[in-house]
Amino acid sequence: DAGITQSPRHKVTETGTPVTLRCHQTENHRYMYWYRQDPGHGLRLIHYSYGVKDTDKGEVSDGYSVSRSKTEDFLLTLESATSSQTSVYFCAISEDLRNYLRFGPGTRLTVT
Amino acid sequence: DQQVKQNSPSLSVQEGRISILNCDYTNSMFDYFLWYKKYPAEGPTFLISISSIKDKNEDGRFTVFLNKSAKHLSLHIVPSQPGDSAVYFCAARGYGGSQGNLIFGKGTKLSVKP
């Protein structure tokens, strides 16, 4: 879906280093989300945003922070990466609360 | 505690036959249910949804059934095609809750054999 891009698509990093993942949308949607997908866990919500500078925690927010300074960009930061944060990270957007979420292509992050 | 459960990790069906994927939920405040399909190395894509005021929704080969009293929903794919082979996630959202967040099940991997 060209309306949602994630960068980088793959990253390998070392334990203790900071990492920032970027989600960019061209749809001008108000709501943006970060999920992680792990085997045996499905998709779990990390953080979400309901507008510029408006963010809140999800189910698995420990160790993560987010920022949204523009409508189109939602950044996910791992302040000090740990091996338990090895995962596939998906960004999603939604026009309003009653609509389905559209997902980006994902970022595969490996923390060694 | 898991609020959305997909108890079958995998399902294998023959091409042309019906695929039935099941999902159970525990929270009676959920009022909107969705199915997503996911291919390897891609993001999940929305497939079909159903509101809690309905018991059935159809879209081509895909039909979702909702049984509120049993807190159960199912996705029927008829006829199944090899291109349907993917992981299917059931998801639910509560009324006005948590800014539209979806709660997902763990997924069921569907394999459709030619």
Side-chain angles (χ1 to χ4, degrees), chain A residues 1 4 6 9 35-37 42-44 88-93 100-107, chain B residues 34-47 86-91 102 104-105:
Chain A
D1 191 330
I4 311 168
Q6 293 185 232
R9 293 294 312 279
Y35 282 84
R36 60 179 286 176
Q37 185 197 6
L43 291 145
R44 294 180 293 172
V88 181
Y89 292 85
F90 290 101
C91 172
I93 66 173
Y100 63 88
L101 272 58
R102 287 170 51 200
F103 284 84
T107 293
Chain B
L34 307 89
W35 285 94
Y36 280 83
K37 174 178 174 180
K38 186 184 180 305
Y39 293 119
E42 295 183 11
T45 55
F46 170 73
L47 195 56
V87 177
Y88 289 78
F89 290 100
C90 170
L102 296 181
F104 286 83

Side-chain angles (χ1 to χ4, degrees), chain A residues 67-79:
Chain A
S67 66
R68 191 166 177 204
S69 58
K70 298 184 291 185
T71 298
E72 57 265 36
D73 289 325
F74 192 32
L75 304 180
L76 177 71
T77 297
L78 291 65
E79 301 291 348

Side-chain angles (χ1 to χ4, degrees), chain B residues 1 5 12 26 29 34 39 42 47 50 53 58-59 62-64 74-75 83 94 106 111:
Chain B
D1 188 29
K5 302 177 185 179
S12 182
T26 58
M29 295 303 292
L34 307 89
Y39 293 119
E42 295 183 11
L47 195 56
I50 188 167
I53 62 174
E58 270 184 276
D59 185 1
F62 303 91
T63 302
V64 56
S74 60
L75 175 68
K106 294 183 178 181
S111 299

